[in-house]
Amino acid sequence: MNLYDATIPVFSKFLRNVERWLDKAVAHAEQRKFDPQVLLDSRLAPDQFPLIKQIQELCDAAKFASAKLAGKTAPSHPDTEKTLDEARARLRTCLAYLETFSRDDFVGAEDRTCSHLWMQGKSLRGGDYLDHYALPNFHFHLTTAYAILRHNGVPLGKTDFIGKLPFVKS
Amino acid sequence: MNLYDATIPVFSKFLRNVERWLDKAVAHAEQRKFDPQVLLDSRLAPDQFPLIKQIQELCDAAKFASAKLAGKTAPSHPDTEKTLDEARARLRTCLAYLETFSRDDFVGAEDRTCSHLWMQGKSLRGGDYLDHYALPNFHFHLTTAYAILRHNGVPLGKTDFIGKLPFVKS
């Protein structure tokens, strides 16, 4: 086992799924004749992040999880996006960053010490960081992005969420 | 690495988090003087599952992921729950089942062939099953349950979602 398998291909697949959700969101907005920007600015509760920020957060979740497990310093991707084209560009920037990682980068990642500034000096073993924080956090923002679109009537289903599965070749 | 660490303690922790979300949901309903059953029957879209079904689904996601990776047959837990007490009982039934697993059950789990009936004869390598389906599916229903409560005004935050982290002891 190498934690590359649990991170880079998984994050990349789901980021591409989000691009397809945005395609469906735009098609839905065109059909219903409203500006798709409305969806980017929508949120499920007044004190929860809107869709554009959920996309920024899920990109950062993927970026930081990968960088910290691989012992690298993540590049800064400021949250300046406001439009749909900018949201797509942010997803592609993150995808391009994920492509810079190799399986070798993750050798021993399960025992690498991982920390964020908000942990105030505390840290987690790499395996625990992935299982208890990084993956739940990534999927939290991913699912919330999906839920905002579903709540606003975009025709998405579970297969749009899960995407393609790497079945065993028979 | 042993996939026990990525499943049993993670699922158990989040199921206990859900119990605490329900405590806060009941307190919120009492304060606002509405029946907490309303929350269990709430959904984010008319064609998406309500909270009670999200809880059943996240329990089943944890149960099936654990059983299939360990090469065991999962017990049947029929989706008969309707009330808050029944939802809590379902969470505890799942937690008790998760406690029956040992680390030894997961030796070699990453290479065990995992399949569901809906895969129509196809299957996934255990590691891929966990990374691409079982964990995303568990977190999907977990986050949707959280989002239904947030959308309905229950005062929950990200720390309620993530719960306690197993920091390295200094």
Side-chain angles (χ1 to χ4, degrees):
Chain A
M1 278 194 284
N2 176 315
L3 290 185
Y4 176 91
D5 296 322
T7 51
I8 303 300
V10 175
F11 294 146
S12 301
K13 193 255 295 276
F14 282 107
L15 290 176
R16 287 191 198 97
N17 288 357
V18 175
E19 291 194 277
R20 279 192 287 275
W21 305 347
L22 293 179
D23 293 343
K24 290 201 174 189
V26 169
H28 178 71
E30 284 174 355
Q31 194 191 7
R32 298 284 297 272
K33 301 191 195 311
F34 68 82
D35 187 341
Q37 184 68 35
V38 174
L39 295 172
L40 277 186
D41 298 333
S42 291
R43 53 185 99 213
L44 294 173
D47 57 347
Q48 201 183 36
F49 290 147
L51 177 58
I52 182 69
K53 180 73 173 163
Q54 299 293 347
I55 291 173
Q56 291 161 343
E57 290 286 316
L58 72 90
C59 285
D60 266 8
K63 178 186 77 173
F64 282 119
S66 307
K68 287 177 188 288
L69 284 167
K72 299 192 177 194
T73 302
S76 170
H77 295 153
D79 294 341
T80 53
E81 297 84 4
K82 288 188 171 63
T83 68
L84 199 70
D85 282 349
E86 289 166 349
R88 290 185 189 281
R90 175 67 174 265
L91 287 162
R92 283 193 298 267
T93 297
C94 185
L95 277 163
Y97 177 61
L98 296 178
E99 280 175 18
T100 66
F101 289 86
S102 69
R103 293 182 66 83
D104 282 352
D105 291 329
F106 288 82
V107 171
E110 62 274 19
D111 292 319
R112 189 167 275 136
T113 301
C114 296
S115 185
H116 286 266
L117 274 178
W118 61 262
M119 292 180 184
Q120 300 183 314
K122 293 180 186 171
S123 60
L124 292 158
R125 221 190 100 258
D128 289 338
Y129 172 73
L130 182 68
D131 298 333
H132 287 263
Y133 177 73
L135 282 177
N137 185 47
F138 175 75
H139 285 295
F140 175 87
H141 292 293
L142 186 75
T143 304
T144 305
Y146 175 93
I148 291 170
L149 293 172
R150 283 286 271 116
H151 179 62
N152 282 282
V154 177
L156 294 171
K158 193 70 174 294
T159 51
D160 295 299
F161 183 83
I162 294 291
K164 281 193 183 167
L165 292 173
F167 289 116
V168 175
K169 290 188 179 62
S170 57
Chain B
M1 277 193 284
N2 176 314
L3 291 185
Y4 177 91
D5 296 321
T7 51
I8 303 299
V10 176
F11 294 146
S12 300
K13 192 255 296 275
F14 282 108
L15 290 176
R16 288 192 198 98
N17 288 357
V18 175
E19 291 194 276
R20 279 192 287 275
W21 304 347
L22 293 179
D23 293 342
K24 290 202 173 188
V26 169
H28 178 72
E30 284 175 356
Q31 192 191 7
R32 299 284 298 272
K33 301 190 195 311
F34 67 83
D35 186 342
Q37 185 68 35
V38 174
L39 295 172
L40 277 186
D41 297 334
S42 291
R43 53 186 100 214
L44 293 173
D47 56 347
Q48 203 182 34
F49 291 146
L51 177 58
I52 181 69
K53 180 73 173 164
Q54 300 292 346
I55 291 172
Q56 291 162 342
E57 290 285 316
L58 71 90
C59 284
D60 265 8
K63 177 185 77 174
F64 283 120
S66 307
K68 286 177 188 288
L69 285 168
K72 299 191 177 195
T73 301
S76 172
H77 295 154
D79 293 341
T80 53
E81 297 84 6
K82 289 189 171 61
T83 68
L84 198 69
D85 283 349
E86 290 166 348
R88 290 185 189 281
R90 176 67 175 266
L91 287 162
R92 283 193 297 267
T93 297
C94 186
L95 277 163
Y97 177 62
L98 296 178
E99 281 175 16
T100 67
F101 290 85
S102 69
R103 293 182 66 83
D104 282 353
D105 291 330
F106 288 83
V107 171
E110 61 275 19
D111 291 321
R112 191 167 272 137
T113 301
C114 296
S115 185
H116 285 266
L117 274 177
W118 61 261
M119 291 180 185
Q120 301 183 315
K122 293 180 187 172
S123 60
L124 292 158
R125 221 189 101 260
D128 289 338
Y129 172 72
L130 182 68
D131 299 334
H132 288 263
Y133 177 72
L135 282 177
N137 184 48
F138 175 74
H139 285 295
F140 176 86
H141 292 292
L142 186 75
T143 305
T144 305
Y146 175 92
I148 291 170
L149 293 173
R150 283 286 271 113
H151 180 61
N152 282 281
V154 178
L156 294 170
K158 192 70 175 292
T159 51
D160 296 299
F161 183 83
I162 293 291
K164 281 193 183 166
L165 291 174
F167 290 115
V168 175
K169 289 187 178 64
S170 55

